[in-house]
Amino acid sequence: MTEAKSDAISSSVPHFPGITRLCFSPDGGTIYTGGADCLVRVYKADDPDAEPGFDDNHTEGVVSLASSKTHLFTASIDAIARKFSRPGDEFEGYLARSPGVPMRWVSVNKQGDKVAVCGDDLLVKIVDVDDVEKVAVLSDNPKSVRSAAWDPLGQYLVTAGCDGKIKIYDVGGTAPFNLKIMDGIISPSEADATTSCYACWHPSGKYFAVPMRTNDVGIVNREGWTKQVAFSQDGHKSPISELAWSPNGRYLASSADSQILIWSNETRTVVTKFTNPDGAVTGLAWSPISNFIAFTGEDGSFSRWTNPIPEDLASPFATDVQENKRVEKLLDDFGDDIDMDDLGQELDLDGELGDDGVDAEDDWIVDDQGDYGTEKKYGKGRQEVVNVTKAQASFTPGSTVMRNKKRYLAFSMIGAVDVSDQDTHHVVNVEFHDKSIRRGYHFQDHSKYSMASMGEQGIAFASSSTAEQPSEVHYRPYDSWASQADWTFPLPAGEDVTCVACGGPPEEAGLGHVIVSTSRGYVRFMTASGVQRYLWRIGDEVVSMAAGKEAVFVVHREGGTSLDGCQNLRYTIMDLDTYDVLQDGRIPLPKKTTITWLGWTAEGAPAMFDSTGVLSMLDRFRRPGQARWVPILDTATLKKEGRVERYWPVGLGLNNMACAILKGTEKEPWFPRPLLQEVLLQMPLLNIEDQTGKFEETLIRSHITVSLLGDTPTTVAEAETHEARLRIEQRLLALVQTACKSDNLSRALDLARMMYNPQTVESAAKIASFYHLGGLEDRIMNLRRQAKVREKKVERLDRERAKETERRFPPGHSVSNGGWAGKSKTDVGFAPRVAGRRHFDGVRRAETPMSSGMTGRDTVVPETPTYEDEMPSFDEVYGEEVREASPGEKRKRRDETEEEFTAPKKRGEESVAPADSVSAEAKKNPFAKKPAASNPFAKPAVPVSRNLSTVKSTSFFERVDDIETSGAPKSKAKSTKAAKAAASNGTGGKQTTLLGMKKSKPAAAPAPVPQPSHADSADTEVSQVPAEEAEEEYTETQQDEPEGEDTQENILVTGNQS
Amino acid sequence: MALPKHLQHGLTPDELTFLAEEEVISIVPSFSMTKIRVLSGVYGPFVPPSSTSVPLWMALSLKRKRKCRIVAPEWLQVERLQALLKEEKENQDGFNKLPRRFIETGKVLLDVAPDDLHLPAQLRSLLKDLREVRQAKIRLGLQSEGVMQGSYLQMNGLTPLELMELKPFLVKAMGVLQTLEPRKEERDGYGASQT
């Protein structure tokens, strides 16, 4: 902020003391002033020394003036509004008269064809300039109206009344009508007050400024007519009188009493100010064409203020495009090309081919407006296209810009670091959200740190170099058992810190890390104690960095920005222990979008927030070449009608984003520290409003979580993964239920196809049966096998990944494969896939020819046949869920249980019957099982899995032999299948299915261990039977099978075969 | 109770405030703690900087110990109150639906945690305005005919505090008016004997 120099202002006193007003002609060449001495003075804007002309038609003081291209309008206390011709200054006649009460206000619209006149007669008249008889009257005011302001487009008229109400009229149509009344913004006033009260439209017509009763300047948006306090910081202390926008709307001048402030519209701060020594200012106007303000005082004085906006700031009158050009010229000063033909260039920019049309045609380059547009530049005799996409400056996440000598250096989920500028030094204040763990502190900082990053162990500060001192890095641990735990490194001359990040796990868990990027393209890695561990020459300009517990996320620019507004950013995720690059790639920012925040999600994935308000995370970032960005929240969808809000992220929780919600035009949080609000994450899916959309959204997010947890190299993650997977299946079940309810069968089937767990598929089938959807139930039951296969696939991938992880995180790390069923990593040994088996598998598995076609194509033989042992029991896992889903089943099942207890014998007879394979599944508790599987020492205690691995490790032929030697279990398996099919086909009624399921429970305890394994091995053998045998077997199966819908079809097929 | 007899019909503002303190409000704690069980339920866990809901009394007590920041209720904001006040003024025939204990909650929050509210002075005056507008309506309503005849007074949307404020006077006044009114049967009986 600067104080205006007194020599920039020249004053004269042309009028008697009293209200003195002025206006510019639209061409900026003439200034009209009017005062209490009944005169209107006419000044030439560019010639301050010339003697002014005058009009003396008024009989009392002139209190308002307005000028169009062809006329000057005045309002006078003598009850008459007059019009004069321009530039001849001839009196042309009366515009409007009031019955003996003063006229207070005239204003003309931009087209110059209509004038609004306000007077003490309580009326607002809209007078046609050419035919003053054509008048529209606004007569709905109980008190007199002080002013009326046209918007630049001529659509609206905004009046301010003595009763303190702002009224907005739509005057675009034939008859004006009131759109909105806004109360409580301006203060009530007297009609003859010396302070004015009017709305001042921004030249863009998007909003207008009003003097508020709180002595601030408010902004009212045309969209929704919402009000916000805009220009209040360090503002006026007394009621605001005059307002004037600069011609391009970049600045706003306001006056209160004798003080004039000029605000920047962009930063909403005072740019320059002036205190009129002659007393209160009663008129204020910007020249429409230059950096020049004229104002009048209550003492009748008229002052000119040349160049109110300092040279180093953006021009108050040039348009954005012109402004860019100016900056461009200043930047690359090629000497003689500065004096280029502005006019010609403007023509080019407007796309008009004027006098220099030929040239322009040759030189034409598609132009674009705004900050990022490409820009044409004239070099010496040749054309070059210069890239003006503003390169995003480097920043530390969570920092704000210095405003009013205060800023945040860091604002994170741990706490906040703010500095206040004390001129000679800074005071750094550190506060924590959790005051019970760490106590805040503050210290004097003579290095003037400009960056800070909060880690789990301490805070890293960094400063840029100045003339006196080099750039330096400073680290302070939160608390330390050692003395002298903080350290400072000055950087060599010519190397400046550009970004700093502090990461690592909490103190006890491992090394803390400080990562510093510098202007020489280095990234320096240090531990929390100051040991330098690594130095990386990244070369690119680092835009930002965020360090997590194990890795650092660096965003850097590859070369320059591109022509079309792309920032060209790339990211690199680097492990902090091994310095392996885990992932790198492009940052997918749309054009003209910048990145505003970086961080890590609660699950430990990199995340970023951009200027369009989209939060994205990097999915599968631990798998090389697999990473991709996924939007997990679009804050634009959260905005409420008529409210301007901005979301400033601070951190991420499990399912929410902690952020500061900023109201109005605020871009960054300010003091006092705002409370963090939690916004639920929500991927921008299509039908997110309805229930299914929400379910699908959570489903996708849980899939992402699962894949992420599966990749995480810790044992803790395993249990979490498992639970997360269960949750997914639960959600799928819920979705199946809603689909069944709404009779959307294909959707239900699709959802069932997405299930991994055969038991979930079974319960999906049960849901279908509950809704009496027999066909769907059958189809879902057919999917069961497929689910098993898919599950195997997941396991295989998991295992491969585990190997990969193991390779990358050798001994020290505890690795888990994150397997679905909690298999240990020793449980490997995959036989290579045999192409022929696929076909066989499909045929064999398929109970119906229809489904055989469906499943046979892209499924794989289950290589590990005893999967069922490893499955968590359905009842234990989903019992509650299903009961919730279908209350009827609860009752049914209870009946079943009773039945079982009354007739245990029957079950004994059916020891090979369908229930058994299920019973084996049912008795295993996944939670009990898991630790055993992950602990290699506990392994031998589980005979089944050993059995499995031996089976698996044997060669294909061995197993075939095995099967050939033992024919008996084969047929048993057949009958198992048959009975199962019968159950699922519904011939035996739903009861049978439930019986089959339920029986398993009590059976589990007495069943001898070999029993399930026997059943399993039978299954295994079946699946390994070579193709020739399969056919034979197939027919056998058909004969065994009882009658049912599907079986009938099968029999038909069988008939063909035989 | 040592209260004067006419006040014993209702609850005092203090008692009402006590009741209001049972209501739930969200806070941002500045300490971490697991869930706690109190008589009214289980609250927490307290994990800064995320917010959690606790009863108002707990919030106030924590605030006094500087252990939390209180998140202002949605209605306790200048814009919202201004809108409410305007509605209240425009709606001359009845009382607007307001948070049931807005006076008590507003007062304790302004007293204990003004630093957590945006523009507390303005909030205070707006709350006062709102209350005065409603009191004016009550006074007007008391002049309506039904009340003078001691029969009934409609007061939808009044908060308990306003009701309690009115009760001692109203109960007594209506009683007096009823005694002044000739009994119905008396009047009828008199009429019957006449004919």
Short mmCIF file of all heavy atoms in Angstrom, two decimals, chain A residues 28-63:
data_model
loop_
_atom_site.label_atom_id
_atom_site.label_comp_id
_atom_site.label_asym_id
_atom_site.label_seq_id
_atom_site.Cartn_x
_atom_site.Cartn_y
_atom_site.Cartn_z
N GLY A 28 -13.86 10.38 -22.06
CA GLY A 28 -12.79 10.73 -21.13
C GLY A 28 -12.18 12.09 -21.39
O GLY A 28 -11.24 12.48 -20.70
N GLY A 29 -12.69 12.82 -22.35
CA GLY A 29 -12.06 14.08 -22.69
C GLY A 29 -12.52 15.25 -21.84
O GLY A 29 -11.80 16.23 -21.70
N THR A 30 -13.70 15.13 -21.28
CA THR A 30 -14.28 16.28 -20.58
C THR A 30 -14.69 15.88 -19.18
O THR A 30 -15.14 14.75 -18.95
CB THR A 30 -15.53 16.77 -21.34
OG1 THR A 30 -15.27 16.74 -22.72
CG2 THR A 30 -15.91 18.17 -20.91
N ILE A 31 -14.51 16.79 -18.24
CA ILE A 31 -14.98 16.56 -16.88
C ILE A 31 -15.99 17.66 -16.57
O ILE A 31 -15.74 18.84 -16.83
CB ILE A 31 -13.83 16.64 -15.86
CG1 ILE A 31 -12.68 15.72 -16.27
CG2 ILE A 31 -14.32 16.28 -14.47
CD1 ILE A 31 -11.42 15.97 -15.47
N TYR A 32 -17.14 17.26 -16.07
CA TYR A 32 -18.15 18.24 -15.67
C TYR A 32 -18.22 18.24 -14.15
O TYR A 32 -18.24 17.18 -13.52
CB TYR A 32 -19.52 17.85 -16.23
CG TYR A 32 -19.56 17.78 -17.74
CD1 TYR A 32 -19.40 16.58 -18.40
CD2 TYR A 32 -19.76 18.94 -18.49
CE1 TYR A 32 -19.44 16.51 -19.78
CE2 TYR A 32 -19.79 18.88 -19.87
CZ TYR A 32 -19.63 17.67 -20.53
OH TYR A 32 -19.65 17.61 -21.88
N THR A 33 -18.24 19.41 -13.58
CA THR A 33 -18.43 19.49 -12.13
C THR A 33 -19.63 20.39 -11.88
O THR A 33 -19.91 21.32 -12.65
CB THR A 33 -17.21 20.10 -11.41
OG1 THR A 33 -17.04 21.44 -11.84
CG2 THR A 33 -15.94 19.31 -11.70
N GLY A 34 -20.34 20.10 -10.82
CA GLY A 34 -21.48 20.93 -10.47
C GLY A 34 -21.48 21.19 -8.98
O GLY A 34 -21.08 20.31 -8.21
N GLY A 35 -21.88 22.36 -8.56
CA GLY A 35 -21.80 22.65 -7.14
C GLY A 35 -22.94 23.52 -6.66
O GLY A 35 -23.91 23.79 -7.39
N ALA A 36 -22.79 23.96 -5.42
CA ALA A 36 -23.84 24.71 -4.76
C ALA A 36 -24.01 26.11 -5.36
O ALA A 36 -24.99 26.79 -5.08
CB ALA A 36 -23.51 24.80 -3.27
N ASP A 37 -23.06 26.54 -6.18
CA ASP A 37 -23.16 27.88 -6.75
C ASP A 37 -23.98 27.89 -8.04
O ASP A 37 -23.87 28.81 -8.84
CB ASP A 37 -21.77 28.45 -7.00
CG ASP A 37 -20.94 27.54 -7.87
OD1 ASP A 37 -21.42 26.42 -8.18
OD2 ASP A 37 -19.82 27.90 -8.24
N CYS A 38 -24.77 26.87 -8.27
CA CYS A 38 -25.70 26.76 -9.40
C CYS A 38 -24.99 26.60 -10.74
O CYS A 38 -25.61 26.69 -11.79
CB CYS A 38 -26.63 27.96 -9.52
SG CYS A 38 -27.24 28.57 -7.98
N LEU A 39 -23.70 26.41 -10.72
CA LEU A 39 -22.96 26.35 -11.98
C LEU A 39 -22.54 24.92 -12.30
O LEU A 39 -22.34 24.10 -11.41
CB LEU A 39 -21.69 27.21 -11.89
CG LEU A 39 -21.88 28.71 -11.90
CD1 LEU A 39 -20.53 29.39 -11.81
CD2 LEU A 39 -22.63 29.16 -13.14
N VAL A 40 -22.41 24.67 -13.60
CA VAL A 40 -21.75 23.46 -14.04
C VAL A 40 -20.49 23.91 -14.76
O VAL A 40 -20.54 24.74 -15.66
CB VAL A 40 -22.64 22.64 -15.01
CG1 VAL A 40 -21.84 21.50 -15.61
CG2 VAL A 40 -23.85 22.12 -14.28
N ARG A 41 -19.35 23.40 -14.30
CA ARG A 41 -18.09 23.76 -14.95
C ARG A 41 -17.71 22.66 -15.93
O ARG A 41 -17.97 21.48 -15.68
CB ARG A 41 -16.98 23.88 -13.91
CG ARG A 41 -17.22 24.98 -12.91
CD ARG A 41 -16.52 26.24 -13.33
NE ARG A 41 -16.79 27.32 -12.38
CZ ARG A 41 -16.43 28.57 -12.59
NH1 ARG A 41 -15.80 28.93 -13.70
NH2 ARG A 41 -16.68 29.49 -11.70
N VAL A 42 -17.07 23.05 -17.01
CA VAL A 42 -16.69 22.08 -18.03
C VAL A 42 -15.17 22.14 -18.19
O VAL A 42 -14.64 23.15 -18.65
CB VAL A 42 -17.37 22.40 -19.37
CG1 VAL A 42 -17.06 21.32 -20.39
CG2 VAL A 42 -18.87 22.54 -19.19
N TYR A 43 -14.50 21.07 -17.78
CA TYR A 43 -13.03 21.04 -17.85
C TYR A 43 -12.59 20.13 -18.97
O TYR A 43 -13.26 19.14 -19.30
CB TYR A 43 -12.45 20.50 -16.55
CG TYR A 43 -12.60 21.43 -15.37
CD1 TYR A 43 -13.72 21.35 -14.55
CD2 TYR A 43 -11.59 22.33 -15.07
CE1 TYR A 43 -13.85 22.18 -13.46
CE2 TYR A 43 -11.73 23.17 -13.97
CZ TYR A 43 -12.85 23.09 -13.17
OH TYR A 43 -12.97 23.91 -12.09
N LYS A 44 -11.44 20.45 -19.52
CA LYS A 44 -10.81 19.50 -20.42
C LYS A 44 -9.93 18.58 -19.57
O LYS A 44 -9.14 19.05 -18.76
CB LYS A 44 -9.94 20.23 -21.45
CG LYS A 44 -10.74 20.95 -22.50
CD LYS A 44 -9.87 21.24 -23.71
CE LYS A 44 -10.68 21.86 -24.82
NZ LYS A 44 -11.02 23.28 -24.52
N ALA A 45 -10.08 17.30 -19.79
CA ALA A 45 -9.38 16.36 -18.92
C ALA A 45 -7.87 16.44 -19.11
O ALA A 45 -7.09 16.30 -18.16
CB ALA A 45 -9.86 14.94 -19.20
N ASP A 46 -7.44 16.66 -20.33
CA ASP A 46 -6.00 16.61 -20.58
C ASP A 46 -5.33 17.97 -20.45
O ASP A 46 -4.13 18.10 -20.66
CB ASP A 46 -5.75 16.02 -21.98
CG ASP A 46 -6.59 16.71 -23.04
OD1 ASP A 46 -7.38 17.61 -22.65
OD2 ASP A 46 -6.47 16.36 -24.22
N ASP A 47 -6.10 18.99 -20.15
CA ASP A 47 -5.50 20.32 -20.08
C ASP A 47 -5.93 21.01 -18.79
O ASP A 47 -6.92 21.75 -18.76
CB ASP A 47 -5.94 21.14 -21.31
CG ASP A 47 -5.18 22.45 -21.40
OD1 ASP A 47 -4.32 22.69 -20.52
OD2 ASP A 47 -5.46 23.22 -22.32
N PRO A 48 -5.22 20.75 -17.73
CA PRO A 48 -5.67 21.27 -16.43
C PRO A 48 -5.60 22.80 -16.35
O PRO A 48 -6.28 23.40 -15.53
CB PRO A 48 -4.72 20.62 -15.43
CG PRO A 48 -3.57 20.11 -16.21
CD PRO A 48 -4.01 19.94 -17.63
N ASP A 49 -4.81 23.39 -17.19
CA ASP A 49 -4.61 24.83 -17.03
C ASP A 49 -5.64 25.66 -17.81
O ASP A 49 -5.74 26.88 -17.60
CB ASP A 49 -3.20 25.22 -17.48
CG ASP A 49 -2.16 24.48 -16.68
OD1 ASP A 49 -2.43 24.26 -15.47
OD2 ASP A 49 -1.12 24.08 -17.23
N ALA A 50 -6.38 24.98 -18.73
CA ALA A 50 -7.32 25.75 -19.53
C ALA A 50 -8.46 26.28 -18.66
O ALA A 50 -8.86 25.64 -17.69
CB ALA A 50 -7.88 24.87 -20.64
N GLU A 51 -8.98 27.41 -19.03
CA GLU A 51 -10.09 28.01 -18.29
C GLU A 51 -11.35 27.18 -18.56
O GLU A 51 -11.70 26.93 -19.72
CB GLU A 51 -10.28 29.46 -18.75
CG GLU A 51 -11.40 30.20 -18.07
CD GLU A 51 -11.19 30.35 -16.56
OE1 GLU A 51 -10.01 30.34 -16.11
OE2 GLU A 51 -12.18 30.43 -15.84
N PRO A 52 -12.06 26.73 -17.53
CA PRO A 52 -13.24 25.90 -17.77
C PRO A 52 -14.42 26.71 -18.30
O PRO A 52 -14.58 27.89 -17.95
CB PRO A 52 -13.55 25.33 -16.39
CG PRO A 52 -12.97 26.31 -15.43
CD PRO A 52 -11.79 26.93 -16.10
N GLY A 53 -15.20 26.05 -19.15
CA GLY A 53 -16.45 26.67 -19.55
C GLY A 53 -17.50 26.43 -18.48
O GLY A 53 -17.25 25.76 -17.49
N PHE A 54 -18.71 27.05 -18.65
CA PHE A 54 -19.73 26.80 -17.64
C PHE A 54 -21.13 26.90 -18.22
O PHE A 54 -21.35 27.50 -19.27
CB PHE A 54 -19.57 27.75 -16.46
CG PHE A 54 -19.68 29.20 -16.80
CD1 PHE A 54 -20.91 29.85 -16.75
CD2 PHE A 54 -18.56 29.92 -17.18
CE1 PHE A 54 -20.99 31.18 -17.07
CE2 PHE A 54 -18.66 31.25 -17.50
CZ PHE A 54 -19.87 31.90 -17.45
N ASP A 55 -22.06 26.27 -17.53
CA ASP A 55 -23.49 26.40 -17.84
C ASP A 55 -24.13 27.07 -16.64
O ASP A 55 -23.87 26.70 -15.51
CB ASP A 55 -24.11 25.00 -18.01
CG ASP A 55 -23.57 24.31 -19.23
OD1 ASP A 55 -23.54 24.94 -20.29
OD2 ASP A 55 -23.15 23.13 -19.10
N ASP A 56 -25.01 28.02 -16.90
CA ASP A 56 -25.61 28.73 -15.77
C ASP A 56 -27.12 28.72 -15.86
O ASP A 56 -27.77 29.70 -15.55
CB ASP A 56 -25.06 30.15 -15.67
CG ASP A 56 -25.26 30.90 -16.99
OD1 ASP A 56 -25.74 30.27 -17.95
OD2 ASP A 56 -24.93 32.08 -17.03
N ASN A 57 -27.68 27.60 -16.31
CA ASN A 57 -29.14 27.54 -16.41
C ASN A 57 -29.82 27.20 -15.10
O ASN A 57 -31.02 27.28 -15.00
CB ASN A 57 -29.53 26.46 -17.43
CG ASN A 57 -28.94 26.75 -18.77
OD1 ASN A 57 -27.74 26.55 -18.95
ND2 ASN A 57 -29.73 27.28 -19.68
N HIS A 58 -29.04 26.76 -14.11
CA HIS A 58 -29.67 26.29 -12.88
C HIS A 58 -29.96 27.45 -11.96
O HIS A 58 -29.25 28.45 -11.96
CB HIS A 58 -28.75 25.29 -12.18
CG HIS A 58 -28.38 24.13 -13.06
ND1 HIS A 58 -27.33 24.18 -13.92
CD2 HIS A 58 -28.96 22.92 -13.21
CE1 HIS A 58 -27.25 23.04 -14.57
NE2 HIS A 58 -28.23 22.25 -14.16
N THR A 59 -31.01 27.30 -11.17
CA THR A 59 -31.33 28.35 -10.22
C THR A 59 -30.92 27.97 -8.81
O THR A 59 -30.90 28.79 -7.92
CB THR A 59 -32.83 28.67 -10.23
OG1 THR A 59 -33.53 27.44 -10.02
CG2 THR A 59 -33.23 29.27 -11.57
N GLU A 60 -30.63 26.69 -8.62
CA GLU A 60 -30.09 26.29 -7.31
C GLU A 60 -28.98 25.27 -7.54
O GLU A 60 -28.67 24.95 -8.69
CB GLU A 60 -31.20 25.71 -6.42
CG GLU A 60 -32.01 26.80 -5.73
CD GLU A 60 -33.05 26.23 -4.79
OE1 GLU A 60 -32.63 25.80 -3.70
OE2 GLU A 60 -34.23 26.21 -5.13
N GLY A 61 -28.43 24.77 -6.45
CA GLY A 61 -27.24 23.91 -6.53
C GLY A 61 -27.46 22.68 -7.42
O GLY A 61 -28.56 22.13 -7.49
N VAL A 62 -26.38 22.28 -8.08
CA VAL A 62 -26.41 21.07 -8.90
C VAL A 62 -25.90 19.91 -8.04
O VAL A 62 -24.81 20.01 -7.45
CB VAL A 62 -25.53 21.25 -10.15
CG1 VAL A 62 -25.53 19.99 -10.98
CG2 VAL A 62 -26.00 22.44 -10.96
N VAL A 63 -26.67 18.87 -7.92
CA VAL A 63 -26.25 17.79 -7.02
C VAL A 63 -25.94 16.48 -7.73
O VAL A 63 -25.49 15.53 -7.12
CB VAL A 63 -27.30 17.53 -5.93
CG1 VAL A 63 -27.30 18.64 -4.91
CG2 VAL A 63 -28.67 17.34 -6.53
#
